[in-house]
Amino acid sequence: ANISLEVIGAMYEQLIKPAERHRYGQHYTQPAVVDLIASFAIRKGREQVLDPGCGGGTFLVRSYARKAYLEPAQDHSELLEALYGCDILNYACHLSIINLAIRDLIDDDNFPRIHLGDFLRYAPGKLFSEQPVRIQAGGLVTEKKEIALKARTCDAILGNPPYISTKEMRARDKELYFGHARRIWPQYPWRRNADIYTYFWLHAQQFLKPSGYLALLTQAAWLDVEYGIPLQKWMLDNFRILAVLETEAEPWFTDARVATVVTILQQEDDSEIRAANRVRFVQ
């Protein structure tokens, strides 16, 4: 089956009421932008890929396509085994599952690894998803296999975290995320007024392999506001910044008029390599 991402994206936005979409900061990303991000982050066909805020599954489906292009020998189940998605909304997870499953309806092992829950509350090594295990004869489900996402296991983490400002976050969530950031990275002066995507950067890094790629489409505020200063320092201390892309010529969302930026990072522990890195700003 081959259902257009434009159709899936339209379904996703129609299923969510505008007020709810705004509350959860959910916006469908244009496929061309997703492909650009995936081309930076996914370099080989058998890499482990995570989208921490997968929505309707656009990033996961395009990652599936890129991995299949880079390594054509993989079958459907092998591709699915290397893709992980997470979303806080039940119907978003269902749509991601459908979006991936329909890539090959013939394959029996057609079980996308999608986690329903708040990514910022997911601890490495905990239960991520459950997969049915079938017997060869008859195709009956006999048991379930528990899937965990461990620390330092992802080659590429990419996606479009929710667009929720600090004013729209619940006080208990804000304190939880802020406290978590201070425990993991106590050397940086994190600010309580940071928007939620800040914490997606920090939390996602725990799952990234050395030399892995972290590529997120976020609001552009961190480039200019005070709470972005420690985030910029954190990026420079831990990554090679491959590219920062911003555009004023076209909207990257169908229904959101917010300043956005794509940031492509590669984890790098060697300070000399980081210092010699050339940062590209593309407008």
Side-chain angles (χ1 to χ4, degrees):
N2 185 14
I3 299 179
S4 168
L5 286 178
E6 298 290 349
V7 174
I8 291 289
M11 287 171 56
Y12 183 53
E13 295 199 327
Q14 289 300 317
L15 283 171
I16 310 176
K17 296 178 181 179
E20 190 172 5
R21 192 158 65 239
H22 176 75
R23 175 187 174 191
Y24 290 103
Q26 301 259 341
H27 298 288
Y28 169 66
T29 315
Q30 299 295 330
V33 180
V34 177
D35 286 344
L36 175 64
I37 296 171
S39 68
F40 272 102
I42 302 173
R43 305 299 180 100
K44 297 177 182 178
R46 295 189 180 272
E47 294 182 334
Q48 300 284 320
V49 178
L50 166 67
D51 181 351
C54 60
T58 305
F59 276 89
L60 293 173
V61 170
R62 298 313 301 161
S63 297
Y64 178 107
R66 177 159 177 79
K67 284 164 54 62
Y69 170 77
L70 292 171
E71 185 67 52
Q74 296 176 98
D75 62 24
H76 180 62
S77 59
E78 288 176 312
L79 289 163
L80 291 185
E81 285 176 0
L83 295 172
Y84 295 81
C86 178
D87 203 278
I88 200 170
L89 299 179
N90 199 358
Y91 48 77
C93 289
H94 284 308
L95 194 53
S96 284
I97 290 170
I98 293 169
N99 207 352
L100 285 168
I102 61 175
R103 300 305 123 191
D104 186 349
L105 294 173
I106 306 301
D107 196 314
D108 284 340
D109 294 322
N110 194 359
F111 308 112
R113 299 183 172 191
I114 305 297
H115 176 72
L116 171 60
D118 181 354
F119 173 70
L120 298 178
R121 284 177 164 83
Y122 178 77
K126 297 296 184 181
L127 177 65
F128 193 84
S129 66
E130 291 184 329
Q131 310 293 122
V133 178
R134 299 180 182 274
I135 7 178
Q136 291 297 324
L140 299 175
V141 175
T142 56
E143 60 184 33
K144 290 184 178 180
K145 179 173 62 175
E146 294 187 346
I147 304 296
L149 184 59
K150 298 179 181 179
R152 307 286 181 262
T153 56
C154 294
D155 299 281
I157 301 176
L158 68 168
N160 171 25
Y163 283 57
I164 302 175
S165 70
T166 184
K167 296 178 181 178
E168 297 168 316
M169 293 166 61
R170 295 183 299 185
R172 63 184 181 183
D173 291 340
K174 192 184 302 186
E175 284 303 309
L176 177 68
Y177 305 153
F178 176 70
H180 188 48
R182 290 210 303 181
R183 284 192 301 274
I184 299 177
W185 303 98
Q187 65 271 44
Y188 299 98
W190 306 112
R191 310 294 169 85
R192 278 187 168 84
N193 65 336
D195 290 346
I196 197 169
Y197 62 81
T198 303
Y199 304 113
F200 270 78
W201 284 109
L202 306 181
H203 194 57
Q205 188 274 342
Q206 297 179 86
F207 300 91
L208 198 64
K209 286 181 181 178
S211 300
Y213 292 89
L214 181 51
L216 299 181
L217 171 57
T218 68
Q219 287 172 286
W222 65 271
L223 290 166
D224 304 305
V225 297
E226 191 176 12
Y227 73 72
I229 295 174
L231 181 61
Q232 294 171 32
K233 181 69 164 60
W234 174 82
M235 290 180 180
L236 292 170
D237 286 349
N238 296 281
F239 298 90
R240 292 173 58 234
I241 301 178
L242 300 187
V244 178
L245 301 96
E246 190 174 10
T247 177
E248 297 177 357
E250 59 186 339
W252 283 346
F253 301 109
T254 56
D255 66 342
R257 294 296 180 263
V258 292
T260 54
V261 64
V262 173
T263 310
I264 315 289
L265 309 176
Q266 183 181 24
Q267 188 153 290
E268 178 55 68
D269 294 333
D270 191 318
S271 59
E272 292 186 3
I273 294 177
R274 291 198 308 269
N277 182 54
R278 178 179 66 180
V279 181
R280 300 183 184 88
F281 287 87
V282 183
Q283 184 173 36

